[in-house]
Coordinates of all heavy atoms in Angstrom, one line a residue:
V38 N 28.2 -14.9 -4.8 CA 28.7 -14.3 -3.6 C 30.1 -13.8 -3.9 O 30.9 -14.4 -4.6 CB 28.8 -15.4 -2.5 CG1 29.6 -16.6 -2.9 CG2 29.3 -14.9 -1.2
E39 N 30.4 -12.6 -3.3 CA 31.8 -12.0 -3.3 C 32.3 -12.0 -1.9 O 31.5 -11.5 -1.0 CB 31.7 -10.7 -4.0 CG 31.5 -10.7 -5.5 CD 31.6 -9.4 -6.2 OE1 32.3 -8.5 -5.6 OE2 31.0 -9.3 -7.3
V40 N 33.5 -12.3 -1.7 CA 34.1 -12.4 -0.4 C 35.3 -11.4 -0.3 O 36.1 -11.5 -1.2 CB 34.5 -13.8 0.0 CG1 35.1 -13.9 1.4 CG2 33.4 -14.8 -0.3
R41 N 35.3 -10.6 0.7 CA 36.4 -9.7 0.9 C 36.8 -9.5 2.3 O 36.1 -9.8 3.2 CB 36.0 -8.3 0.3 CG 35.5 -8.4 -1.1 CD 35.3 -7.0 -1.7 NE 34.8 -7.2 -3.0 CZ 34.4 -6.2 -3.8 NH1 34.6 -5.0 -3.4 NH2 33.9 -6.5 -5.0
V42 N 38.1 -9.0 2.5 CA 38.5 -8.6 3.8 C 38.5 -7.1 3.9 O 39.1 -6.4 3.0 CB 40.0 -9.1 4.1 CG1 40.5 -8.6 5.4 CG2 40.0 -10.6 4.1
M43 N 37.9 -6.5 4.9 CA 37.9 -5.1 5.1 C 37.8 -4.9 6.6 O 37.1 -5.6 7.3 CB 36.6 -4.4 4.4 CG 36.7 -4.4 3.0 SD 35.2 -3.5 2.4 CE 35.3 -4.0 0.7
S44 N 38.4 -3.8 7.1 CA 38.4 -3.5 8.5 C 37.7 -2.2 8.8 O 37.9 -1.2 8.1 CB 39.8 -3.5 9.0 OG 39.9 -3.0 10.3
A45 N 36.8 -2.3 9.8 CA 36.2 -1.1 10.2 C 37.1 0.0 10.8 O 36.9 1.2 10.7 CB 35.1 -1.4 11.3
H46 N 38.3 -0.5 11.3 CA 39.3 0.3 11.9 C 40.5 0.6 11.1 O 41.0 1.7 11.1 CB 39.7 -0.3 13.3 CG 38.5 -0.5 14.1 ND1 38.0 -1.8 14.4 CD2 37.7 0.3 14.8 CE1 37.0 -1.7 15.2 NE2 36.7 -0.5 15.5
R47 N 40.9 -0.4 10.3 CA 42.2 -0.2 9.5 C 41.9 0.3 8.1 O 42.8 0.9 7.5 CB 42.9 -1.6 9.5 CG 43.4 -1.9 10.9 CD 44.2 -3.2 10.8 NE 44.6 -3.6 12.2 CZ 43.9 -4.5 12.9 NH1 42.9 -5.2 12.4 NH2 44.3 -4.8 14.1
T48 N 40.7 0.0 7.6 CA 40.4 0.4 6.2 C 38.9 1.0 6.2 O 38.1 0.6 5.4 CB 40.5 -0.7 5.1 OG1 39.6 -1.8 5.5 CG2 41.9 -1.2 5.0
P49 N 38.7 2.0 7.1 CA 37.3 2.5 7.2 C 36.8 3.1 5.9 O 35.6 3.0 5.6 CB 37.4 3.5 8.3 CG 38.8 3.9 8.4 CD 39.6 2.7 8.0
E50 N 37.7 3.8 5.2 CA 37.2 4.4 3.9 C 36.8 3.4 2.9 O 35.8 3.5 2.2 CB 38.3 5.4 3.3 CG 38.6 6.6 4.2 CD 39.7 6.2 5.3 OE1 40.2 5.1 5.3 OE2 40.0 7.1 6.1
A51 N 37.6 2.3 2.8 CA 37.2 1.3 1.8 C 35.9 0.6 2.2 O 35.1 0.3 1.3 CB 38.4 0.2 1.8
A52 N 35.7 0.3 3.5 CA 34.5 -0.3 4.0 C 33.3 0.6 3.7 O 32.3 0.2 3.2 CB 34.6 -0.6 5.4
A53 N 33.4 1.9 3.9 CA 32.4 2.8 3.7 C 32.1 2.9 2.2 O 30.9 2.9 1.8 CB 32.7 4.2 4.2
E54 N 33.1 3.0 1.4 CA 32.9 3.1 -0.1 C 32.2 1.8 -0.7 O 31.3 1.9 -1.5 CB 34.2 3.4 -0.8 CG 34.1 3.6 -2.3 CD 33.2 4.8 -2.7 OE1 33.1 5.7 -1.9 OE2 32.7 4.7 -3.8
F55 N 32.7 0.7 -0.2 CA 32.0 -0.6 -0.6 C 30.6 -0.6 -0.3 O 29.7 -0.9 -1.2 CB 32.7 -1.8 0.0 CG 32.0 -3.1 -0.3 CD1 32.4 -3.7 -1.5 CD2 31.0 -3.6 0.5 CE1 31.7 -4.9 -1.9 CE2 30.3 -4.7 0.1 CZ 30.7 -5.4 -1.1
S56 N 30.2 -0.2 0.9 CA 28.8 -0.2 1.4 C 28.0 0.8 0.6 O 26.9 0.5 0.2 CB 28.8 0.1 2.9 OG 27.5 -0.2 3.4
K57 N 28.6 2.0 0.4 CA 27.8 3.1 -0.3 C 27.5 2.6 -1.8 O 26.4 3.0 -2.3 CB 28.7 4.3 -0.4 CG 28.8 5.1 0.9 CD 29.7 6.3 0.7 CE 30.0 7.0 2.0 NZ 31.0 8.1 1.9
T58 N 28.3 1.8 -2.4 CA 28.1 1.5 -3.8 C 27.6 0.0 -4.0 O 27.4 -0.4 -5.1 CB 29.4 1.6 -4.6 OG1 30.4 0.8 -4.0 CG2 29.9 3.1 -4.6
A59 N 27.3 -0.7 -2.9 CA 26.9 -2.1 -3.0 C 25.7 -2.3 -3.8 O 25.6 -3.2 -4.6 CB 26.8 -2.7 -1.5
R60 N 24.6 -1.5 -3.5 CA 23.4 -1.7 -4.2 C 23.6 -1.5 -5.7 O 23.2 -2.3 -6.5 CB 22.3 -0.7 -3.7 CG 21.0 -0.9 -4.4 CD 19.9 0.2 -4.0 NE 19.7 0.1 -2.6 CZ 18.8 -0.7 -2.0 NH1 18.1 -1.6 -2.7 NH2 18.6 -0.7 -0.7
E61 N 24.2 -0.4 -6.2 CA 24.5 -0.2 -7.6 C 25.4 -1.2 -8.2 O 25.4 -1.4 -9.4 CB 25.0 1.2 -7.9 CG 26.4 1.5 -7.3 CD 26.7 3.0 -7.4 OE1 26.0 3.8 -6.8 OE2 27.7 3.3 -8.0
N62 N 26.2 -1.9 -7.4 CA 27.0 -3.0 -7.9 C 26.4 -4.4 -7.8 O 27.1 -5.4 -8.0 CB 28.4 -3.0 -7.1 CG 29.2 -1.8 -7.4 OD1 29.3 -1.4 -8.6 ND2 29.9 -1.3 -6.5
G63 N 25.1 -4.4 -7.6 CA 24.3 -5.6 -7.8 C 24.2 -6.5 -6.5 O 23.7 -7.6 -6.6
F64 N 24.5 -5.9 -5.4 CA 24.3 -6.7 -4.1 C 22.9 -6.5 -3.6 O 22.3 -5.4 -3.7 CB 25.4 -6.2 -3.1 CG 26.8 -6.6 -3.4 CD1 27.6 -5.7 -4.1 CD2 27.2 -7.9 -3.2 CE1 28.9 -6.1 -4.4 CE2 28.5 -8.3 -3.5 CZ 29.4 -7.4 -4.2
G65 N 22.4 -7.5 -2.9 CA 21.1 -7.4 -2.2 C 21.2 -7.5 -0.7 O 20.3 -7.0 0.0
V66 N 22.3 -8.1 -0.2 CA 22.5 -8.3 1.2 C 24.0 -8.3 1.5 O 24.8 -8.8 0.6 CB 21.9 -9.6 1.7 CG1 22.1 -9.8 3.2 CG2 20.4 -9.8 1.4
I67 N 24.4 -7.8 2.6 CA 25.8 -7.8 3.1 C 25.8 -8.6 4.3 O 25.1 -8.3 5.3 CB 26.3 -6.4 3.3 CG1 26.3 -5.5 2.0 CG2 27.7 -6.4 3.9 CD1 26.6 -4.1 2.2
I68 N 26.7 -9.5 4.4 CA 27.0 -10.3 5.6 C 28.4 -9.8 6.1 O 29.3 -9.8 5.3 CB 27.0 -11.8 5.4 CG1 25.7 -12.3 4.9 CG2 27.5 -12.6 6.6 CD1 25.6 -13.8 4.5
A69 N 28.5 -9.5 7.4 CA 29.8 -9.0 7.9 C 30.2 -9.7 9.1 O 29.4 -9.9 10.1 CB 29.6 -7.5 8.3
A70 N 31.4 -10.3 9.1 CA 31.9 -11.1 10.3 C 33.0 -10.4 10.9 O 34.0 -10.0 10.2 CB 32.3 -12.5 9.8
A71 N 33.0 -10.2 12.2 CA 34.1 -9.6 12.9 C 34.1 -10.0 14.4 O 33.0 -10.4 14.9 CB 34.0 -8.1 12.8
G72 N 35.3 -10.0 14.9 CA 35.4 -10.4 16.3 C 35.9 -9.2 17.2 O 36.1 -8.1 16.7
K73 N 36.0 -9.4 18.5 CA 36.4 -8.5 19.4 C 35.5 -7.2 19.4 O 34.3 -7.2 19.6 CB 37.9 -8.2 19.3 CG 38.7 -9.4 19.6 CD 40.2 -9.1 19.7 CE 40.9 -10.4 20.0 NZ 42.3 -10.3 20.2
A74 N 36.1 -6.0 19.0 CA 35.3 -4.8 18.9 C 34.1 -4.9 17.9 O 33.1 -4.3 18.1 CB 36.2 -3.6 18.5
A75 N 34.3 -5.7 16.9 CA 33.2 -6.0 15.9 C 32.4 -4.9 15.4 O 31.2 -4.9 15.5 CB 32.3 -7.1 16.6
H76 N 33.0 -3.8 14.9 CA 32.3 -2.7 14.4 C 32.0 -2.8 12.9 O 31.3 -1.9 12.4 CB 33.1 -1.4 14.7 CG 33.2 -1.1 16.2 ND1 34.4 -0.8 16.8 CD2 32.3 -1.1 17.2 CE1 34.2 -0.6 18.1 NE2 32.9 -0.8 18.3
L77 N 32.5 -3.8 12.3 CA 32.4 -3.9 10.8 C 30.9 -3.8 10.3 O 30.6 -3.0 9.4 CB 33.1 -5.1 10.3 CG 33.1 -5.3 8.8 CD1 33.8 -4.1 8.1 CD2 33.8 -6.6 8.4
A78 N 30.0 -4.6 10.9 CA 28.6 -4.7 10.4 C 28.0 -3.3 10.6 O 27.3 -2.8 9.7 CB 27.8 -5.7 11.1
G79 N 28.2 -2.6 11.7 CA 27.7 -1.3 11.9 C 28.2 -0.3 11.0 O 27.4 0.6 10.5
V80 N 29.5 -0.3 10.7 CA 30.1 0.7 9.8 C 29.5 0.5 8.4 O 29.1 1.4 7.7 CB 31.6 0.5 9.7 CG1 32.2 1.3 8.5 CG2 32.2 1.0 11.0

């Protein structure tokens, strides 16, 4: 498991880049936790 802080609103480019390359980086599933507006999982 790898754990990171990323924001859908404050670091959208980093979140998008992580997600785009997750499969090639050996990930099989992404778990995203967010409160309030909670757009992280969707992004």
Side-chain angles (χ1 to χ4, degrees):
V38 59
E39 289 186 21
V40 183
R41 302 189 187 179
V42 174
M43 290 183 193
S44 171
H46 304 107
R47 294 181 185 98
T48 60
E50 295 87 3
E54 184 60 26
F55 176 85
S56 192
K57 285 177 191 175
T58 60
R60 183 183 299 277
E61 67 191 58
N62 288 325
F64 292 95
V66 179
I67 298 171
I68 296 173
K73 298 187 179 184
H76 295 133
L77 183 59
V80 167

